[in-house]
Amino acid sequence: MKNKKIHDIINKPSWYNNHPSGYECIDIVQHYDFCIGNVIKYVWRAGLKDPNIKKEIEDLEKARYYLEKKITLLKKSLGDIDAKNWLSINK
């Protein structure tokens, strides 16, 4: 029985497959790039992986980090100087 629990945590964690839509998080995020996939992942699991409000905030802050990173990368591709500064500070 113990092995099954470990298997489920590794392969089918409840916080990624409890969505009311019936979809598992990976079925959605695999179609996006790394940053957007992480935004979706962290928003998806916020409050589900750990019911502690501080952990929920942490997941949402992680989502915000990846969203800001994606915006910065897009701005950099357009030659936005502020984006280059943000990237050098947040390596």
Side-chain angles (χ1 to χ4, degrees), residues 26-60:
I26 196 166
D27 295 332
I28 306 301
V29 301
Q30 68 186 353
H31 300 287
Y32 293 89
D33 69 21
F34 181 78
C35 287
I36 296 300
N38 275 315
V39 170
I40 295 167
K41 175 182 76 171
Y42 284 117
V43 168
W44 189 293
R45 79 178 202 184
L48 295 176
K49 184 174 182 183
D50 188 325
N52 180 317
I53 290 174
K54 289 182 180 182
K55 292 293 186 179
E56 183 173 1
I57 291 168
E58 185 178 287
D59 278 341
L60 294 172

Side-chain angles (χ1 to χ4, degrees), residues 66-83:
Y66 283 105
L67 181 58
E68 288 174 355
K69 183 79 164 178
K70 178 65 176 182
I71 290 168
T72 300
L73 291 169
L74 291 171
K75 285 182 175 183
K76 183 182 177 200
S77 74
L78 295 174
D80 186 314
I81 298 203
D82 287 337

